[in-house]
Amino acid sequence: MARQPAVYIMASGRNGTLYIGLTSDLMARIVQHREGMFDGFSKRYGVNRLVWFAMADTMDAAITREKQLKVWKRSWKITLIETDNPTWRDLAEDWGFDPLPPPSS
């Protein structure tokens, strides 16, 4: 996958904690989330599964979309995820990432 702006949602598991972000390199960002490379929210809550993403033509478009999603109600975000990914599977596996262990409860 070539570098291209993207907005994405990571989750700790089905109906778990959600993290919305943007990047110009989605593959690298997935690695960062999976390996807990940054201290903070996503590391603290184990938000490491890619459950939704959308590529954007420009970084400005990605920023605008990210800002929209961040103010959405949680139920809207869940509907967005489940429209394309009803089982909340880790979409990173489609690009050769190893499956993650089931989330701890």
Side-chain angles (χ1 to χ4, degrees), residues 9-10 15-20 51-52 65-85 88:
I9 301 176
M10 304 292 284
N15 293 313
T17 303
L18 301 177
Y19 175 87
I20 297 171
V51 294
W52 181 89
R65 183 65 168 148
E66 180 201 30
K67 287 179 180 180
Q68 289 171 341
L69 293 177
K70 284 191 172 197
V71 297
W72 276 18
K73 294 179 181 181
R74 179 176 171 81
S75 63
W76 299 351
K77 296 171 192 175
I78 290 171
T79 298
L80 177 67
I81 293 164
E82 291 183 346
T83 297
D84 294 329
N85 187 2
W88 290 64

Side-chain angles (χ1 to χ4, degrees), residues 5-89:
V7 180
Y8 62 93
I9 301 176
M10 304 292 284
S12 59
R14 185 179 183 105
N15 293 313
T17 303
L18 301 177
Y19 175 87
I20 297 171
L22 74 110
T23 183
S24 63
D25 189 344
L26 187 56
M27 298 289 272
R29 187 56 52 91
I30 292 167
V31 170
Q32 292 168 340
H33 278 281
R34 283 175 157 241
E35 295 182 2
M37 296 176 82
F38 301 112
D39 289 334
F41 181 88
S42 61
K43 183 176 180 178
R44 181 174 37 247
Y45 294 102
V47 181
N48 57 8
R49 289 164 168 73
L50 179 68
V51 294
W52 181 89
F53 70 95
M55 305 311 277
D57 292 330
T58 66
M59 188 55 82
D60 285 341
I63 291 167
T64 298
R65 183 65 168 148
E66 180 201 30
K67 287 179 180 180
Q68 289 171 341
L69 293 177
K70 284 191 172 197
V71 297
W72 276 18
K73 294 179 181 181
R74 179 176 171 81
S75 63
W76 299 351
K77 296 171 192 175
I78 290 171
T79 298
L80 177 67
I81 293 164
E82 291 183 346
T83 297
D84 294 329
N85 187 2
T87 62
W88 290 64
R89 66 186 188 81

